Amino acid sequence: MRIATLAVAFLLTAACSKTLKVETDPKTGRTDVDIQKPGVAEGWKGTLSAVAGSGVGGTATGTTADDETHVTVSITGGKPGSTYPWHIHDGKCAESGPPIVGDVAAYPPLVVGSDGTATAMAHLSVKLNEAKNYIINIHASPTNLGTIVACGDFND
C-alpha cells in the first residue's frame, strides 16, 4: 500500500509541471505512457539492415512534436548513381506492404554518390504514435517499389 501511495504522490508531483500522455495503437492495443512537458520533441531512431543480400544498410533518426515528424535517413553500400525511394511504414519489416506514414511526396529519394552513400530528409505533417510499430523501408528503385533492399525498426 505504501508503494502505491508513493507512486500516486510521484505522479501528482510530476503532473504539476508536466503532462501525462497516453498513446494507444488501435490495431494491437499496445499502450505507451509518458510524463513530459507539453511540446517536447520525442526522439526516434533505427538501424537499417540489408535485405536479400543487397548490401545496403544505414541509420535513421528523427523527432516528432506538434503534429510534425522530421526524419533523416543515411545509407551505405548503395550502387553509385542509383536512386532509392524510402518511406516510414506502419508495421514491421516482416509484413507485406504495410501502409506508408504521411504524404508519399514528402519523402525525397536517396540519390547514391560515387562512394555508395546517400542521405535524405523528410518533413511529415503527422506525429508518430509511440505505441505503434514503425519501420523504414528502402526500395530498390522508383520503378521497383515492391523490392525492399533495406529495412529497420524505427522507434523511440
Side-chain angles (χ1 to χ4, degrees), residues 38-60:
V40 172
E42 298 166 349
W44 293 74
K45 62 186 180 332
T47 300
L48 309 175
S49 300
V51 174
S54 71
V56 177
T59 60

